[in-house]
């Protein structure tokens, strides 16, 4: 039996924009109100997917969400035609309006937490959509995310889908952005690392002072229970509150793992030594590479600016690993020289591949934010909706679809154009046919 790790990248939606919605996410705040390029953003994402597929990786794609979210605005008391709802919300509650326009579902690392079948009690792949309660614009995502995941992983024999955790900050869950799985082979039982920012029910524990800790310990435990993971196969790790206060709003901004490699900054966690000891003990006897980057080599500020840790570490068909990094890493002397040294240090990481994902980076989303990892065996992969996998034909189709429906530029003002809503729904309706998703969007139901 063969095993794969499939990256499901989020397709950037037609309303991609910069609204400064994510307090604690430095790039989002810095680029608030810049005009955006939805077509270019979607194409940058597709290029990355195609490049990984061309390297011999199995690459998937997840559909974006329907925005502007007129249903959310109606729930908040805006009434009348869709055009009226948009106009009134834009004029009377511009911040809420912008939140309802965000294309943030493109960062599929926040779509869900996924546990592969080798780790779970019932031998199925388990999915829990993230509730994303800390940010209103992101809290609009989990229901449709669940619909999309069910449409792609539709076979109950292999896949189990859970409802997202309660929509409450006590169970704030940011999904796979705070979850990494270590294993010797993708098909072997792994060690799932759940990273959280605070304890919701115990205020005596450390917490950041400035920026929010989005993800709670209690959410991590709940997902462990739902997925049927054993205590010996999980490690709960608290993020260092000081780095959250420096802009590390998700753990994948300061640490990333793949198979037997954990690549992390020395300031990433609280109780680092104790955490690493627990990881080593639970990982067992096979070789494990704990690659710690020291502040003297790369500062936290540079890590946040360049997204050195929001890289994807992938295992190529040759068995070597490559690190997929944003071009921002190449443009920073300290980070570029660190990466040059890393690939010749005798770790499994042998090469760096740089990608331009600037349209996403400007909202704080690097290569790793753009993908949800699902490790599967060949039977499970066969049971996946094959139209959600990238091959040459699907890549061409999706590019043509973007060309047909996306605008080149979008300003905040454009978001209340009722024509944009029509364009967006028309595009998504066609996409559900291209990807054979059925009716996953509210406007289709
Ligand atoms: O949740 N940015 C996203 C970025 C998510 C990055 N994901 C991972 N680290 N895995 C967020 O903060 C900004 C939207 C705006 O400001 O328009 C935003 O939602």
């Amino acid at each position: 039996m063969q095993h794969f790790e499939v990256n499901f990248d989020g397709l950037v939606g037609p309303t991609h924009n910069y609204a400064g919605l994510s307090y604690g996410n430095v790039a989002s705040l810095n680029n608030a109100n810049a005009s955006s390029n939805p077509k270019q953003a979607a194409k940058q994402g597709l290029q990355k997917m195609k490049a990984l597929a061309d390297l011999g990786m199995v690459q998937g794609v997840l559909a974006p969400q329907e925005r502007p979210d007129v249903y959310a605005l109606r729930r908040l008391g805006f009434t009348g035609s869709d055009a009226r709802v948009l106009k009134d919300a834009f004029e009377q509650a511009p911040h809420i309006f912008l939140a309802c326009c965000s294309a943030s579902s493109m960062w599929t690392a926040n779509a869900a937490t996924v546990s592969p079948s080798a780790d779970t009690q019932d031998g199925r792949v388990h999915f829990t959509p993230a509730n994303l309660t800390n940010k209103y614009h992101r809290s609009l995502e989990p229901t449709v995310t669940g619909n999309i995941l069910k449409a792609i992983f539709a076979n109950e024999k292999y896949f189990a889908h859970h409802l997202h955790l309660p929509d409450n900050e006590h169970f704030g869950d940011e999904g796979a952005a705070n979850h990494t799985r270590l294993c010797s082979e993708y098909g072997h039982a792994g060690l799932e690392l759940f990273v959280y920012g605070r304890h919701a029910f115990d205020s005596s524990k450390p917490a950041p002072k400035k920026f929010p800790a989005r993800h709670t310990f209690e959410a991590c435990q709940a997902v462990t229970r739902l997925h049927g993971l054993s205590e010996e196969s999980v490690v709960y790790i608290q993020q260092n509150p000081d780095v959250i206060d420096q802009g590390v709003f998700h753990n994948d901004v300061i640490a990333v793992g793949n198979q037997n490699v954990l690549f992390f900054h020395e300031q990433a966690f609280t109780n680092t030594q104790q955490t690493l000891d627990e990881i080593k003990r639970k990982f067992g006897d096979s070789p494990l590479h704990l690659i710690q980057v020291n502040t003297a080599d790369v500062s936290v500020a540079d890590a946040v600016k360049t997204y050195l840790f929001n890289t994807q570490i992938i295992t190529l068909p040759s068995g070597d690993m490559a690190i997929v990094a944003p071009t921002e890493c190449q443009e920073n002397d300290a980070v570029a020289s660190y990466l040059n040294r890393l690939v010749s240090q005798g770790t499994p990481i042998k090469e760096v591949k740089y990608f331009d994902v600037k349209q996403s980076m400007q909202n704080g989303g690097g290569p790793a934010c753009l993908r949800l990892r699902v490790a599967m065996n060949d039977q499970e992969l066969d049971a996946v909706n094959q139209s959600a996998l990238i091959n040459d034909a699907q890549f061409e189709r999706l590019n043509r679809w973007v060309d047909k429906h996306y605008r080149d530029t979008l300003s905040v003002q454009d978001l209340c154009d009722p024509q944009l809503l029509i364009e967006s729904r028309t595009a998504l309706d066609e996409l559900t046919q291209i990807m054979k998703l059925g009716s996953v969007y509210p406007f289709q139901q």
Side-chain angles (χ1 to χ4, degrees), residues 112-261:
T113 305
V114 184
S115 295
S117 54
D119 298 355
T120 62
Q121 211 169 20
D122 66 1
R124 294 190 293 168
V125 185
H126 282 244
F127 298 82
T128 299
N131 61 18
L132 303 170
T133 50
N134 186 258
K135 300 279 176 269
Y136 174 64
H137 69 292
R138 304 226 57 183
S139 73
L140 302 173
E141 297 173 30
T143 303
V144 172
T145 297
N147 293 347
I148 292 170
L149 291 174
K150 283 182 200 147
I152 293 177
F153 304 93
N155 188 326
E156 283 181 21
K157 180 171 168 206
Y158 298 110
F159 306 117
H161 295 273
H162 302 279
L163 183 63
H164 58 275
L165 297 182
D167 301 282
N168 181 288
E169 284 261 34
H170 282 78
F171 295 99
D173 175 13
E174 299 282 316
N178 290 330
H179 175 258
T180 283
R181 177 174 183 262
L182 302 177
C183 58
S184 47
E185 297 287 341
Y186 290 125
H188 294 179
L191 184 60
E192 300 201 14
L193 312 185
F194 285 84
V195 184
Y196 59 93
R198 69 184 177 98
H199 289 250
F201 288 89
D202 183 352
S203 53
S204 70
K205 294 280 185 357
K209 296 187 175 60
K210 183 176 169 200
F211 290 144
R214 299 191 193 186
H215 201 127
T216 68
F217 171 66
E218 290 80 357
C220 298
Q221 283 190 314
V223 172
T224 297
R225 282 191 292 269
L226 287 168
H227 290 196
L229 306 176
S230 76
E231 281 301 317
E232 271 311 290
S233 70
V234 302
V235 180
Y236 300 111
I237 306 171
Q238 176 156 17
Q239 250 189 298
N240 175 357
D242 293 343
V243 298
I244 296 180
D245 280 339
Q246 290 171 67
V248 181
F249 58 100
H250 288 136
N251 177 62
D252 68 3
V253 175
I254 197 124
V256 56
N258 176 52
Q259 290 190 319
N260 62 355
V261 170

Side-chain angles (χ1 to χ4, degrees), residues 19-22 25 28 107 110 137-138 177 214 250 252 363-364 369:
L21 300 173
S22 283
N25 167 345
S28 155
W107 299 295
N110 303 113
H137 69 292
R138 304 226 57 183
R214 299 191 193 186
H250 288 136
D252 68 3
N363 252 337
C369 300

Side-chain angles (χ1 to χ4, degrees), residues 287-300:
L288 176 65
H289 301 268
L290 299 174
I291 307 175
Q292 176 173 307
V293 181
N294 294 327
T295 311
D297 289 320
V298 178
S299 65
V300 172

